[in-house]
Amino acid sequence: MMKQNTPLLFKNILIFIIFFLSSCVKEKEIKGAVVSAREEASKIGVAIMQKGGTAFDAMIATDLALTVCYPNAGNISGGGFLVYRTFDGEVGSLDFREKAPMASYPDMYLDELGNVIPKMSTLGGLSVGVPGTVAGLVEIHKRFGTLEWDELVQPAIDLARNGYIVTDNQEKSFKNKKEEFIALNGVETFYAQNFKSGDNIINLALAETLERIAKFGKAGFYKGVNADELVKRVKETGGIITHEDLLAYDPVWREPINFQYKDLNIYTMGPPSSGGICLGQIMKMIEPYEIGQYSQNTIEAIQIIVEAERRSYADRSLYLGDPDFINIPEDSLLNENYLKKRMSSFDFNEATKSSEISPGTIVWEESEETTHYSILDAQGNAVAVTTTLNGSYGSKVFVEKGGYFLNNEMDDFSSKPGVPNMFGLIGGKANAIAAQKRMLSAMTPTIVERNGKLAMIVGTPGGSTIITSVLQTILNVFEYEMDIQTAVSAPRFHHQWLPDVVVFEPSRFQKSFIDSLQEKGFNIKEEYTRIIGRVDAIHISSSNIITTGADPRGDDKAVHLY
Ligand code: DON
């Protein structure tokens, strides 16, 4: 009789158990997801879907949760854009971008000599645009909500009452901005409390504001106690928003920008965002070059992308602004022949000079924060939302009794033709300030279809780098066949016509590579510590496998629905 080898038997049983368990795990199919800047917010969105809510319901809850636990960008007091695709293929977009107060006028940030007064459009009450977020969320609920409104607000109220945990990144961010918080709001201000990583922040004032929003909807923010406090705080800090401004705010449903790139059909945000038109222009300029023949981030691929970006951002400065105020030659800007002509001066041997595309010299200034989230529900409804206070913590003006910061979106206007805003972007008449006008944005919430099926939900913060980060993520997946997480994490670069500089994420590109680009006449900036985008995306394969990419550059987190 053969002697039994007991250790071997155990080993085989163990291998069998491991194999069995791992195959069980694999079978756990992802049915939907929320990818956002904070785990708490992603979890809240998924919990709403588990309760039977759709991606639109989840959006409202996620957005409000970000207001609580991501106060640098999540907001009820800023604005944003939604691009959606329903399970049956209907697409649309909602513009809940801030507006200039009624008392605004073109030269409001200029001194007697006609020079831009530093910081006037970025810090304090005068930098605040009339907020659009709450009106936007209520509008989305009216059209698409399936759960009750107050049910969707409740998780954020609970988060504000029970608290959220400070991350390492947040500790640093609060510390960096503490002086500005105090300068505008006094030493007693809520967010100057030296919060440390691991602390639990309870924001009772915000909980009460959210309770009013839960009870009265739009009126809970734009009327009554909240309106009084907001208007008072803006006035105290030098601003001009009135009750009338708040009452007059309405979001607008707009046609998304739609264009084809090879077998992709892309829906993205149109004006007052420049995102969609620029993304379309850049991709259409790239398309004839078959960029997939060069590997990702090779010199040739980067040259093609940078030269297309240069030309598109130049157009942006001249033609784009609020479509309710100016005529935008959308079709011409996206016309294939026009875009082919634009690229006719491109030469692989030598960089085009931005001054040859259009003149100007500017200084690149520091970037701040916005936030994007992507949501997919089990039915297949897809939601891409980018929302912002503009700068990190916006104007730094804190409505103490309301528990929230106000935006500084007015800086997205062109204060003076040719003078850069805080993202180094310049503009002219098309984006000049006017009462009730919306300031031009770069936010690019985007939905990609492939062969008629939903394939990707994507977007990012990053000011002027938003468009180029969305672009690179799409190319990484569809041209370079990366999985979505690798595509999101991959090193990025950015060019925006002016300044005539290509920015590379520091230490992520080889020196010899940078040297070669410099030899071709590209001005390179690599030492800059700015993060280029923080992309949160969802990919749906042709066989309906759902995967997610949360940007490791932040605290971003994908939570799955099973
Ligand atoms: O709308 C825009 O384009 C800007 N206000 C976005 C600001 C932003 O993304 C800041 N984040 N890094």
Side-chain angles (χ1 to χ4, degrees):
M1 218 175 105
M2 241 170 85
K3 211 176 155 208
Q4 177 126 19
N5 181 340
T6 319
L8 192 64
L9 184 68
F10 271 132
K11 198 175 153 201
N12 284 340
I13 291 174
L14 200 63
I15 287 172
F16 175 78
I17 292 173
I18 289 171
F19 181 75
F20 177 75
L21 286 178
S22 68
S23 67
C24 288
V25 170
K26 260 190 221 138
E27 272 166 23
K28 218 173 153 199
E29 187 198 342
I30 301 174
K31 296 210 174 90
V34 180
V35 195
S36 83
R38 288 281 305 214
E39 185 170 12
E40 294 89 331
S42 298
K43 276 186 175 162
I44 282 173
V46 167
I48 289 294
M49 296 196 281
Q50 282 163 340
K51 269 177 109 176
T54 63
F56 297 98
D57 294 309
M59 177 215 153
I60 293 163
T62 303
D63 206 286
L64 293 171
L66 286 167
T67 303
V68 178
C69 62
Y70 198 60
N72 53 320
N75 67 83
I76 46 176
S77 46
F81 301 114
L82 153 77
V83 174
Y84 69 86
R85 181 187 187 279
T86 60
F87 70 93
D88 54 358
E90 177 200 322
V91 290
S93 68
L94 185 71
D95 163 4
F96 52 99
R97 180 75 162 163
E98 300 93 324
K99 292 173 86 167
M102 291 178 192
S104 309
Y105 54 96
D107 296 349
M108 62 190 274
Y109 299 119
L110 306 187
D111 63 18
E112 318 79 70
L113 300 174
N115 297 319
V116 173
I117 302 168
K119 300 197 172 165
M120 211 171 186
S121 65
T122 55
L123 269 181
L126 205 56
S127 67
V128 186
V130 182
T133 301
V134 175
L137 298 183
V138 169
E139 183 67 22
I140 290 159
H141 185 253
K142 251 197 246 160
R143 186 173 285 198
F144 290 113
T146 62
L147 300 186
E148 293 298 322
W149 169 254
D150 56 354
E151 233 179 307
L152 302 176
V153 186
Q154 193 59 45
I157 298 173
D158 295 340
L159 191 61
R161 284 209 176 282
N162 300 329
Y164 69 94
I165 302 294
V166 177
T167 65
D168 291 348
N169 285 335
Q170 273 182 319
E171 176 183 331
K172 279 185 221 137
S173 157
F174 291 145
K175 204 169 154 203
N176 284 341
K177 300 289 182 223
K178 183 175 164 176
E179 277 177 26
E180 283 175 331
F181 294 163
I182 291 177
L184 274 155
N185 306 296
V187 277
E188 297 293 311
T189 189
F190 185 76
Y191 271 108
Q193 288 182 65
N194 293 325
F195 291 119
K196 296 266 175 295
S197 178
D199 284 356
N200 188 42
I201 298 188
I202 293 174
N203 186 343
L204 293 179
L206 182 55
E208 282 171 21
T209 304
L210 290 166
E211 273 160 3
R212 278 191 286 272
I213 293 170
K215 199 161 167 199
F216 303 114
K218 191 177 168 191
F221 185 84
Y222 293 88
K223 288 183 182 173
V225 182
N226 187 66
D228 293 346
E229 282 306 323
L230 192 158
V231 169
K232 186 167 147 244
R233 197 70 199 102
V234 166
K235 201 168 173 197
E236 283 165 359
T237 52
I240 51 175
I241 293 179
T242 61
H243 282 89
E244 205 188 349
D245 280 312
L246 293 177
L247 290 175
Y249 188 88
D250 275 320
V252 187
W253 294 101
R254 299 192 191 272
E255 280 290 304
I257 296 288
N258 175 223
F259 64 93
Q260 272 72 44
Y261 174 88
K262 300 187 171 177
D263 61 349
L264 306 180
N265 185 27
I266 297 179
Y267 292 97
T268 177
M269 194 65 212
S273 180
S274 60
I277 289 184
C278 290
L279 182 67
Q281 283 196 311
I282 296 168
M283 293 193 81
K284 296 305 280 182
M285 281 190 263
I286 290 173
E287 195 175 19
Y289 292 89
E290 290 295 343
I291 203 164
Q293 67 180 299
Y294 311 105
S295 299
Q296 189 244 6
N297 283 349
T298 49
I299 294 196
E300 291 84 355
I302 288 179
Q303 279 189 276
I304 296 166
I305 293 172
V306 165
E307 294 299 353
E309 289 172 349
R310 190 192 311 277
R311 287 154 177 81
S312 176
Y313 276 77
D315 280 358
R316 177 194 197 273
S317 74
L318 191 62
Y319 295 111
L320 303 188
D322 182 346
D324 296 342
F325 281 71
I326 58 159
N327 285 325
I328 300 176
E330 225 169 88
D331 292 344
S332 311
L333 287 170
L334 286 167
N335 178 282
E336 274 182 45
N337 290 332
Y338 167 71
L339 294 169
K340 263 192 200 138
K341 264 195 219 141
R342 281 295 266 165
M343 282 298 267
S344 60
S345 54
F346 165 48
D347 177 357
F348 271 115
N349 295 314
E350 199 184 353
T352 309
K353 296 274 165 291
S354 283
S355 55
E356 286 163 17
I357 299 286
S358 198
T361 341
I362 55 160
V363 184
W364 182 293
E365 296 221 348
E366 194 197 347
S367 156
E368 303 285 342
E369 288 173 59
T370 290
T371 192
H372 172 87
Y373 52 90
S374 295
I375 304 184
L376 175 69
D377 68 22
Q379 278 176 284
N381 295 303
V383 158
V385 178
T386 315
T387 176
T388 185
L389 291 170
N390 194 27
S392 204
Y393 310 95
S395 59
K396 321 301 188 272
V397 176
F398 193 67
V399 180
E400 218 74 46
K401 290 197 179 141
Y404 57 87
F405 286 98
L406 292 169
N407 70 78
N408 60 348
E409 219 70 58
M410 290 295 284
D411 188 62
D412 272 348
F413 278 118
S414 172
S415 295
K416 183 181 172 180
V419 176
N421 73 359
M422 70 188 221
F423 300 108
L425 292 167
I426 63 172
K429 259 198 178 155
N431 190 30
I433 305 171
Q436 297 264 286
K437 189 176 175 185
R438 287 171 155 94
M439 52 298 278
L440 185 61
S441 172
M443 294 191 285
T444 316
T446 297
I447 288 181
V448 180
E449 286 179 354
R450 192 177 211 178
N451 302 321
K453 281 180 71 242
L454 177 67
M456 192 193 238
I457 311 167
V458 61
T460 180
S464 54
T465 71
I466 290 175
I467 301 163
T468 59
S469 298
V470 168
L471 165 78
Q472 288 169 76
T473 311
I474 295 175
L475 293 178
N476 286 349
V477 170
F478 297 105
E479 288 282 11
Y480 301 118
E481 296 181 358
M482 291 180 185
D483 67 79
I484 188 77
Q485 185 59 62
T486 311
V488 164
S489 308
R492 287 194 281 262
F493 58 92
H494 171 73
H495 180 60
Q496 60 180 49
W497 172 54
L498 292 175
D500 193 350
V501 164
V502 188
V503 184
F504 284 84
E505 278 190 276
S507 319
R508 298 201 68 187
F509 292 82
Q510 279 184 357
K511 183 166 178 327
S512 58
F513 176 88
I514 300 284
D515 290 347
S516 307
L517 280 168
Q518 266 163 345
E519 273 161 30
K520 286 177 186 281
F522 289 93
N523 304 314
I524 308 281
K525 193 165 191 174
E526 205 205 358
E527 79 282 6
Y528 202 83
T529 54
R530 177 183 189 183
I531 286 169
I532 302 182
R534 225 175 291 123
V535 178
D536 285 340
I538 302 177
H539 181 250
I540 304 96
S541 76
S542 53
S543 52
N544 286 329
I545 308 287
I546 296 162
T547 45
T548 49
D551 207 315
R553 294 165 180 86
D555 296 326
D556 303 51
K557 185 85 184 167
V559 176
H560 298 151
L561 173 73
Y562 294 103

